[in-house]
């Protein structure tokens, strides 16, 4: 037995991209259905990235999302680049008059869901998309199953894949012609610990032993990462060993230690899908691209896609104007490739390549000095990190 649901836009994936798109459509009077294979609890508890560009916070507020980013989040007006044992501040406020907000992704998801669900929006959890049918037709359909195997068919005018890096919708659109990518010979080992912040701002540290990032979550919980082998088993290290690794990678700062209550390994990949849109099917967020986390661009880029696609869908569905939808891919790729470059650049400048020669290491320090010694260099980094202006159609 298959249940059929009809709607204007079928959104696969209840992450930041899918939910913000639903909210933008809802406020424009366009009906949509969002499905996700996970439960609401799982979505709201998963620990992910933490940095929001100011433009991202503004986009959430302008969309009517009941977000507490400005109240609960912490504004950061700079970061520190550390190399050769010395810290160099990149002063965003002074250089580009912008800042970022440290506000973890799971709180953004809680904000979005507590805006959409009480408003009666159709968000269905525990429903796994299996395929998209009639991709090239006027009425593409998402076929999904629940945990009991019951099938739901969502027939829509538009299907949007906001279903992450293993996107089913992307597969339906492009088959094995997935896209352009590069791999990295390292990953990040992430920890959450109970401790006060070790420094007022985030520290991105290039050390001879490898990269470390000292980030934060709150006054009492901290998030830290260090460069590791992609195949490492997160449980091989004792807490003492983890602190020792982290300490040696941030020479010049004594980290405030505390109980480590979560550990995970984040794989690195740069990827851009070959097609962001085919007929009435489009991709946003991680389904369309992934970036390594070093530039803190992932969620921000997803929001930027959604602002473009939201405007394009309004024009298409309310005014019968297909031009913005036809322009979506090109407009989105403009920002995506800039963010790809920035994320790759930050990664390559801060990590140790396993096969690096002494020449490579000294050149890397020269590159870091070229950035920190020069106002133009610092401004370039500050502009990209805090985010280029968000664009939208209409
Ligand atoms: C984080 O706090 O999780 C975080 C911050 C900055 C990054 C990546 C991750 O570049």
């Amino acid at each position: 037995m298959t249940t059929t649901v009809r709607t204007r836009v079928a959104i696969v994936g209840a992450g930041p991209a899918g939910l913000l798109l639903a909210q933008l459509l809802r406020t424009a009077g366009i009906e949509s259905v969002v499905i996700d294979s996970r439960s609401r609890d799982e979505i709201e508890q998963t620990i992910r990235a933490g940095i929001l560009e100011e433009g991202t916070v503004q986009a959430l507020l302008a969309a009517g999302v009941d977000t507490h980013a400005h109240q609960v989040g912490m504004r950061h007006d700079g970061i520190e680049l550390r190399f050769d044992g010395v810290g160099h501040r990149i002063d965003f406020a002074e250089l580009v008059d912008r800042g970022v907000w440290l506000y973890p992704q799971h709180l953004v998801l809680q904000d979005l869901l507590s805006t959409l669900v009480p408003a009666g929006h159709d968000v269905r959890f525990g429903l796994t998309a299996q395929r998209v049918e009639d991709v090239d037709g006027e009425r593409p359909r998402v076929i999904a199953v629940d945990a009991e195997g019951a099938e739901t068919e969502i027939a829509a005018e538009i299907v949007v894949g906001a279903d992450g890096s293993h996107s089913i919708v992307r597969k339906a659109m492009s088959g094995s012609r997935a896209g352009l990518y590069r791999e990295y010979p390292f990953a990040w080992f992430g920890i959450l610990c109970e401790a006060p912040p070790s420094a007022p701002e985030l520290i991105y540290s290039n050390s001879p032993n490898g990269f470390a990032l000292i980030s934060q979550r709150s006054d009492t919980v901290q998030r830290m990462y260090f460069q590791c082998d992609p195949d490492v088993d997160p449980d091989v290290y004792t807490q003492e060993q983890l602190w020792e690794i982290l300490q040696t990678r941030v020479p010049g700062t004594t980290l405030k230690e505390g109980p480590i209550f979560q550990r995970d390994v984040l794989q690195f990949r740069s990827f851009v899908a070959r097609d962001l849109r085919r007929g009435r099917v489009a991709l946003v967020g991680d389904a369309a691209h992934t970036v390594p986390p070093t530039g803190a661009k992932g969620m921000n880029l997803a929001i930027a896609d959604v602002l473009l696609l939201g405007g394009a869908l309004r024009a298409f569905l309310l005014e019968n104007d297909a031009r913005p939808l036809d322009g979506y891919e090109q407009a989105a790729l403009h920002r995506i490739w800039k963010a790809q470059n920035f994320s790759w650049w930050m990664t390559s400048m801060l990590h140790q390549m396993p096969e690096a020669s002494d020449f490579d290491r000294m050149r890397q320090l020269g590159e870091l000095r070229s950035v920190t010694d020069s106002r133009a260099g610092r401004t370039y980094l500050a502009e990209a990190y805090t985010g280029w202006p968000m664009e939208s159609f209409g």
Side-chain angles (χ1 to χ4, degrees):
M1 256 264 310
T2 302
T3 313
T4 299
V5 179
R6 289 180 202 288
T7 188
R8 300 207 79 184
V9 183
I11 301 172
V12 183
L19 293 174
L20 178 62
L21 182 64
Q23 170 68 4
L24 287 175
L25 296 174
R26 190 175 78 83
T27 52
I30 300 168
E31 190 195 56
S32 70
V33 173
V34 185
I35 65 165
D36 199 291
S37 56
R38 299 165 294 170
S39 68
R40 179 170 177 177
D41 259 9
E42 210 178 328
I43 292 171
E44 290 187 332
Q45 305 305 331
T46 309
I47 302 292
R48 299 287 291 273
I51 295 287
L52 302 188
E53 297 168 5
E54 181 65 53
T56 296
V57 179
Q58 271 157 13
L60 293 171
L61 288 169
V65 177
D66 184 18
T67 179
H68 304 97
H70 281 156
Q71 291 78 41
V72 177
M74 287 182 284
R75 188 185 162 90
H76 282 249
D77 283 326
I79 55 168
E80 185 185 297
L81 289 189
R82 181 165 302 207
F83 52 94
D84 232 4
V86 181
H88 303 260
R89 181 159 192 257
I90 309 292
D91 186 338
F92 300 155
E94 189 250 334
L95 292 162
V96 293
D97 199 20
R98 289 202 294 269
V100 294
W101 290 84
L102 189 94
Y103 188 65
Q105 179 166 330
H106 69 277
L107 297 184
V108 176
L109 291 165
Q110 288 172 19
D111 293 343
L112 282 159
L113 285 168
S114 63
T115 304
L116 284 163
V117 174
H121 200 92
D122 195 343
V123 186
R124 300 181 184 211
F125 304 100
L127 206 51
T128 305
Q130 294 212 306
R131 56 188 192 280
V132 182
E133 291 184 347
D134 210 8
V135 171
D136 292 314
E138 299 269 297
R139 278 256 150 190
R141 296 182 304 279
V142 177
I143 316 296
V145 287
D146 68 14
E148 281 77 49
E151 211 173 71
T152 301
E153 176 189 81
I154 305 167
E157 290 165 60
I158 297 278
V159 168
V160 177
D163 50 342
S165 51
H166 300 293
S167 175
I168 291 294
V169 179
R170 185 178 70 229
K171 202 171 286 163
M173 270 173 61
S174 307
S176 57
R177 294 179 352 110
L180 305 176
Y181 67 94
R182 72 164 290 155
E183 314 267 6
Y184 298 82
F186 43 75
W188 275 7
F189 197 111
I191 64 146
L192 278 170
C193 66
E194 272 167 48
S198 290
E201 291 176 341
L202 270 60
I203 303 176
Y204 287 80
S205 181
N206 170 311
S207 87
N209 298 314
F211 171 76
L213 169 60
I214 309 306
S215 184
Q216 311 170 356
R217 282 294 175 268
S218 68
D219 290 344
T220 53
V221 173
Q222 310 310 319
R223 180 81 162 138
M224 303 183 191
Y225 303 93
F226 63 86
Q227 175 184 349
C228 68
D229 190 285
D231 299 322
V232 73
D233 167 4
D235 294 321
V236 289
Y237 297 116
T238 64
Q239 298 218 6
E240 293 68 39
Q241 286 171 322
L242 289 172
W243 283 116
E244 196 182 315
I245 296 171
L246 280 161
Q247 294 280 0
T248 59
R249 294 189 182 198
V250 201
T253 288
T254 306
L255 297 175
K256 300 206 169 98
E257 300 181 8
I260 293 170
F261 62 90
Q262 192 186 297
R263 35 175 95 196
D264 47 9
V265 175
L266 275 73
Q267 298 301 331
F268 266 50
R269 198 170 143 89
S270 296
F271 168 77
V272 180
R274 204 171 293 272
D275 311 297
L276 266 49
R277 179 214 158 210
R278 174 167 153 187
R280 288 166 172 260
V281 182
L283 302 177
V284 287
D286 281 359
H289 43 71
T290 45
V291 287
T294 325
K297 282 281 154 271
M299 180 170 33
N300 297 295
L301 206 48
I303 299 301
D305 294 343
V306 168
L307 294 186
L308 284 171
L309 187 64
L313 293 184
R314 273 199 307 272
F316 186 69
L317 295 170
L318 297 179
E319 291 149 34
N320 216 9
D321 177 1
R323 284 169 304 175
L325 189 56
D326 288 340
Y328 166 65
E329 177 170 286
Q330 200 189 352
L333 284 175
H334 186 88
R335 187 188 194 90
I336 290 166
W337 279 110
K338 281 166 66 170
Q340 286 292 352
N341 175 58
F342 178 65
S343 306
W344 169 86
W345 176 65
M346 286 283 278
T347 302
S348 76
M349 184 166 66
L350 289 163
H351 291 72
Q352 299 297 346
M353 284 297 206
E355 75 282 10
S357 66
D358 287 347
F359 175 90
D360 296 332
R361 276 187 277 273
M362 296 311 288
R363 185 210 59 78
Q364 198 183 43
L365 293 178
E367 183 175 14
L368 282 157
R369 284 191 195 102
S370 306
V371 174
T372 56
D373 285 357
S374 136
R375 187 178 174 90
R378 295 193 303 276
T379 304
Y380 170 73
L381 194 155
E383 259 180 9
Y385 194 98
T386 58
W388 309 285
M390 294 280 183
E391 285 164 23
S392 61
F393 294 110

